[in-house]
C-alpha cells in the first residue's frame, strides 16, 4: 500500500456530467444517509452508509486501490475557489454609470474608451465649451449660484477643495452652502478649463457622478447635435475590481471583509478583500429553470490596484478565505466514510500487516479549495488514514 501526503487534493476523475460542486459540500448539505459518491482515482467510489458498525471497533484490511495519508496537525483555513473577471468597478448595482447630457449645441470633443477622468476635469465638450465632472451622488438638476444650499453644492465644494482651487481654511468641503468662497473657487476652475468665468454653475455645464471615471462605451459622435437628456457615454469608476459569480448555495459562507487571493493571467498573485455581495441570484439555465446553476455576484477590491496594470475584462482565479482555526487535526475529505445511523468515521492503519480500525470522528472546518477537513476523535497527528489511491 502506498503512502500519500495530503498537502494537495487527489485528482478526481469525475465525469463531465457530474456536478461541479465538491461532493463533500453536497454531502454536508443533506446527503447524510444512503450512498455517498466519492470522486477518486479514475472513477467513482461508493461509500455506503452502514458499511461499518457504530462501535468503532471493526477491524478490516485496506483493499486495493487505496493508499495511506498521514493525519496532520496545524492551522486550517476554509476557502472557496472560483473563477472571476478583473475589470473596473461600476455602480453599486453592478451597472455602469450613464453620463447624461444637459447642454445644447454640437459635440466637439468626446473622450476615447479607456480614458480616465478625475473630479474637476473636462469630461466632454459641447460647442467647444467644457462639461466638467463634479464628484457627487446627486445628479445635476438645477443652476447653482451664491445663496443656494444642498447636497449638490456640498459635492461642488468638495471637488473645488480637493482640486486645489480653495484651501480648507477658505472653503469647508463639507459645507452645503454656496457662498462667496465657492464662487471664487469655481471661477478659478472655469478659467483653468476654458469655460466662461462666471462663478456660477448652470445646468449643462457639469455632470455629477460619484467619483473619478473610466470611460467605457461612447455613444456621442463629434459633430452631431447634443440633445438634452440623452446619454453621452457609459462609464465605470477607476477602481480595480474582481467580480466572482458565487454558487448561490455558498452565499452564507462568504461575507464582506473576507480576504481573497487573486491569481492574475500572468500567474502573479495579488490580494484583495470582499467589498460587496449581491442580493439577487441569476441562473444560466433556460428560462431560469436550472436552479442548480444559480449564482450571486461577489465584488472584490484589490489591495494593490497597480498589480493589475491596465488589464480589463481579464479572467482570473480567486481564492476567498472564509474562516480559519489555529490548531486542528486534519485529514483528506476523501478519507471520510459514512457510519450506520449517521455521522462519519475514518479508517486508520492499525499495524504493519495492512490491518485497520474504524474511528468515529466529528467534522469541523472544511478547506474546500484543498479537499481537507478538521476532525476530532480518537486520532493523533501522524496516524495514517485510508484514502483512495491516486
Amino acid at each position: 500500500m502506498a503512502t500519500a501526503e495530503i498537502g494537495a487534493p487527489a485528482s478526481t476523475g469525475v465525469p463531465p456530467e457530474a456536478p461541479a460542486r465538491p461532493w463533500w459540500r453536497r454531502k454536508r448539505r443533506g446527503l447524510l444517509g444512503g450512498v455517498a459518491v466519492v470522486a477518486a482515482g479514475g472513477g467513482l467510489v461508493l461509500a455506503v452508509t452502514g458499511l461499518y458498525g457504530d462501535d468503532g471497533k471493526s477491524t478490516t484490511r485496506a483493499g486495493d486501490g487505496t493508499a495511506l495519508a498521514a493525519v496532520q496537525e496545524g492551522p486550517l483555513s476554509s476557502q472557496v475557489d472560483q473563477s472571476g473577471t478583473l475589470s473596473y468597478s461600476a455602480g453599486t448595482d453592478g451597472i455602469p454609470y450613464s453620463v447624461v447630457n444637459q447642454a445644447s449645441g454640437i459635440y466637439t470633443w468626446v473622450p476615447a474608451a479607456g480614458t480616465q477622468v478625475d473630479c474637476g476635469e473636462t469630461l466632454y465638450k459641447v460647442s467647444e465649451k467644457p462639461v466638467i465632472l463634479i464628484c457627487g451622488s446627486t445628479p445635476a438638476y438645477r443652476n447653482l449660484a451664491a445663496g443656494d444650499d444642498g447636497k449638490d453644492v456640498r459635492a461642488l465644494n468638495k471637488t473645488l477643495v480637493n482640486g486645489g482651487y480653495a484651501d480648507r481654511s477658505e472653503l469647508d468641503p463639507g459645507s452645503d452652502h454656496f457662498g462667496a468662497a465657492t464662487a471664487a473657487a469655481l471661477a478659478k476652475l472655469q478659467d483653468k478649463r476654458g469655460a466662461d468665468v462666471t462663478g456660477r454653475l448652470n445646468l449643462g455645464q457639469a455632470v455629477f457622478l460619484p467619483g473619478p471615471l473610466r470611460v467605457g462605451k461612447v455613444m456621442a459622435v463629434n459633430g452631431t447635435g447634443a440633445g438634452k437628456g440623452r446619454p453621452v457615454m457609459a462609464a465605470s469608476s477607476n477602481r480595480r475590481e474582481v467580480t466572482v459569480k458565487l454558487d448561490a448555495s455558498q452565499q452564507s459562507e462568504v461575507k464582506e471583509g473576507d480576504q481573497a487571493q487573486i491569481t492574475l493571467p500572468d500567474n502573479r498573485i495579488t490580494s484583495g478583500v470582499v467589498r460587496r455581495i449581491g442580493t439577487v441570484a441569476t441562473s444560466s439555465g433556460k428560462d431560469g429553470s436550472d436552479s442548480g446553476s444559480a449564482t450571486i455576484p461577489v465584488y472584490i477590491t484589490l489591495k494593490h490596484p497597480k498589480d493589475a496594470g491596465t488589464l480589463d475584462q481579464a479572467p482570473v482565479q480567486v481564492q476567498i478565505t472564509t474562516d480559519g482555526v489555529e490548531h486542528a487535526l486534519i485529514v483528506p475529505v476523501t478519507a471520510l466514510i459514512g457510519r450506520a445511523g449517521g455521522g462519519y468515521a475514518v479508517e486508520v492503519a492499525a499495524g504493519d500487516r495492512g490491518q485497520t480500525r474504524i474511528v468515529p470522528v466529528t467534522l469541523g472546518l472544511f478547506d474546500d479549495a484543498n479537499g481537507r477537513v478538521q476532525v476530532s476523535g480518537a486520532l493523533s497527528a501522524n496516524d495514517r488514514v485510508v484514502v483512495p489511491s491516486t
Side-chain angles (χ1 to χ4, degrees):
M1 180 184 301
T3 300
E5 296 295 334
I6 66 172
S11 61
T12 59
V14 178
E17 66 273 16
R21 301 272 294 142
W23 75 267
W24 58 87
R25 183 177 296 285
R26 298 199 304 276
K27 194 176 185 207
R28 277 195 288 161
R29 298 184 184 279
L31 273 67
L32 299 180
V35 178
V37 181
V38 181
L44 297 179
V45 177
L46 299 183
V48 184
T49 302
L51 178 62
Y52 299 102
D54 288 340
D55 56 9
K57 299 179 180 178
S58 302
T59 301
T60 182
R61 182 181 298 272
D64 294 336
T66 62
L68 295 178
V71 177
Q72 294 185 345
E73 183 175 17
L76 181 70
S77 296
S78 178
Q79 298 166 328
V80 173
D81 270 0
Q82 291 283 350
S83 59
T85 302
L86 171 65
S87 60
Y88 292 82
S89 63
T92 55
D93 56 2
I95 299 174
Y97 300 118
S98 180
V99 177
V100 179
N101 174 65
Q102 296 296 343
S104 297
I106 304 295
Y107 289 117
T108 53
W109 179 79
V110 291
T115 301
Q116 296 198 27
V117 182
D118 206 350
C119 307
E121 293 184 345
T122 299
L123 187 53
Y124 60 98
K125 290 183 179 181
V126 175
S127 299
E128 283 299 280
K129 298 299 182 182
V131 177
I132 298 169
L133 173 63
I134 304 297
C135 293
S137 57
T138 301
Y141 68 96
R142 60 173 177 166
N143 299 329
L144 293 177
D148 288 333
D149 298 280
K151 294 180 179 178
D152 48 355
V153 176
R154 186 187 309 143
L156 175 60
N157 285 335
K158 183 177 180 180
T159 297
L160 291 170
V161 172
N162 289 346
Y165 300 100
D167 293 332
R168 289 176 178 267
S169 60
E170 302 169 322
L171 178 61
D172 180 4
S175 171
D176 59 5
H177 179 67
F178 195 126
T182 302
L186 178 56
K188 292 180 181 179
L189 170 61
Q190 291 170 332
D191 181 58
K192 181 175 182 178
R193 297 301 171 195
D196 293 334
V197 180
T198 62
R200 58 179 290 141
L201 193 66
N202 292 333
L203 184 63
Q205 292 180 327
V207 170
F208 285 65
L209 284 169
L213 299 180
R214 181 180 187 275
V215 177
K217 181 180 180 181
V218 179
M219 284 75 85
V221 177
N222 286 333
T224 61
K228 289 187 177 182
R230 293 183 179 177
V232 183
M233 64 191 78
S236 64
S237 76
N238 63 359
R239 297 188 307 271
R240 306 315 307 273
E241 181 179 77
V242 171
T243 303
V244 168
K245 292 183 177 180
L246 183 72
D247 191 304
S249 63
Q250 293 176 288
Q251 182 181 10
S252 61
E253 300 174 30
V254 177
K255 61 185 180 300
E256 292 182 9
D258 281 348
Q259 302 299 303
Q261 179 176 284
I262 299 138
T263 303
L264 301 171
D266 60 2
N267 289 324
R268 289 184 299 116
I269 294 176
T270 189
S271 57
V273 60
V274 175
R275 178 177 64 89
R276 184 167 56 88
I277 301 174
T279 57
V280 179
T282 58
S283 174
S284 60
K286 184 178 181 180
D287 300 325
S289 59
D290 185 5
S291 59
S293 61
T295 60
I296 293 287
V298 173
Y299 304 96
I300 299 170
T301 299
L302 272 63
K303 292 184 178 180
H304 307 287
K306 291 183 179 180
D307 289 350
T310 59
L311 291 171
D312 191 14
Q313 299 299 316
V316 294
Q317 290 299 315
V318 180
Q319 187 176 83
I320 303 172
T321 299
T322 59
D323 204 352
V325 291
E326 290 295 327
H327 303 285
L329 286 178
I330 306 165
V331 301
V333 174
T334 51
L336 300 178
I337 54 179
R339 297 179 63 203
Y344 294 89
V346 292
E347 189 176 359
V348 181
D352 296 330
R353 298 183 179 181
Q355 291 185 318
T356 61
R357 58 189 175 90
I358 304 305
V359 177
V361 293
T362 300
L363 306 186
L365 195 67
F366 277 73
D367 175 2
D368 293 351
N370 296 307
R372 305 191 302 168
V373 59
Q374 176 188 9
V375 295
S376 57
L379 289 176
S380 300
N382 296 321
D383 281 348
R384 295 175 300 163
V385 293
V386 177
V387 296
S389 61
T390 58

